[in-house]
Amino acid sequence: LKTIRREGVGPLVSKLKVYFGDKAAAKKFLQTPRPAPVPDEIVKFLWSAGDGVIAPGQSKEELLKLLDWLKQRPAPRAVLEIGTARGGTLFCWCALAASDATILSLDLPGGIHGGGYPPWKLSFYQQFAGSKQKIHFLRDDSHKRETLDEVKKRLPSGGLDFLFIDGDHTLAGVRSDYEMYSPLVKPGGTI
């Protein structure tokens, strides 16, 4: 009703097509054999499996370089991603993290970049984690002190090995995320 009042019936139909189209692509994605945790195979998979339902907004080349770099380091045991959107980078962190890692996804519903993901995607994103990995989803504003407290509650002792900041893309927003969450990164960890 909000969409109809604000934008009319046409945009509602478009949104419903995207919503149900994504669901069909998500189902197709889950039936696709997963790649080995090799960066170039992961990148190819992101843009092809399930009609690209989780293709990230990053450039393929930049993401591949980051994944290659991460692959050469010890597998992270604790990861925090700020800004999940379509889930492509979340998939990467799950694929490259330790088999018993804790992965936290923090995303703002209705956010200005990506707009957050619909609630049904939580069960879809849970499929990214390995059988022994723990994955937590926080759908809230990363800039709120309460959200930081929630992240701390879910972190394993020792802190983060990897912090990925890809939230609201503003200088003030990135600075705030960095100042709030970088103290959670253990010495030798990566931001």
Side-chain angles (χ1 to χ4, degrees):
L1 289 175
K2 287 179 187 177
T3 301
I4 291 172
R5 284 186 196 125
R6 277 193 321 256
E7 304 169 35
V9 175
L12 175 66
V13 172
S14 297
K15 287 180 181 186
L16 288 173
K17 283 181 183 177
V18 168
Y19 179 81
F20 289 108
D22 271 358
K23 264 191 163 174
K27 191 172 187 179
K28 182 178 174 184
F29 170 87
L30 291 174
Q31 296 167 351
T32 306
R34 300 299 168 96
V38 176
D40 60 337
E41 289 181 29
I42 292 170
V43 169
K44 286 178 197 169
F45 181 77
L46 291 175
W47 271 271
S48 62
D51 302 323
V53 69
I54 66 167
Q58 285 76 16
S59 95
K60 288 182 187 180
E61 295 78 22
E62 289 176 359
L63 182 60
L64 181 57
K65 286 179 184 178
L66 174 59
L67 298 181
D68 281 334
W69 185 82
L70 283 173
K71 184 70 176 167
Q72 295 174 35
R73 300 175 55 80
R77 300 183 56 76
V79 175
L80 170 61
E81 173 178 80
I82 300 174
T84 298
R86 296 180 69 193
T89 53
L90 180 65
F91 181 86
C92 294
W93 317 145
C94 291
L96 294 176
S99 62
D100 61 347
T102 298
I103 297 124
L104 294 100
S105 159
L106 175 52
D107 199 61
L108 177 62
I112 60 173
H113 293 283
Y117 48 82
W120 67 264
K121 279 196 174 178
L122 287 173
S123 61
F124 172 54
Y125 291 161
Q126 287 171 336
Q127 304 299 311
F128 296 177
S131 61
K132 295 180 185 173
Q133 290 178 332
K134 294 180 193 107
I135 190 164
H136 301 279
F137 299 95
L138 297 167
R139 298 180 72 232
D140 211 337
D141 185 347
S142 63
H143 305 139
K144 293 184 343 190
R145 188 63 51 190
E146 298 84 9
T147 306
L148 174 62
D149 293 340
E150 288 299 316
V151 167
K152 288 178 179 178
K153 286 180 194 175
R154 289 163 174 80
L155 265 184
S157 62
L160 291 169
D161 295 297
F162 182 60
L163 169 61
F164 186 70
I165 299 173
D166 192 23
D168 74 8
H169 300 220
T170 66
L171 179 59
V174 172
R175 179 181 290 127
S176 176
D177 287 341
Y178 179 82
E179 289 171 354
M180 289 176 71
Y181 297 94
S182 65
L184 303 179
V185 178
K186 65 175 79 171
T190 302
I191 302 172

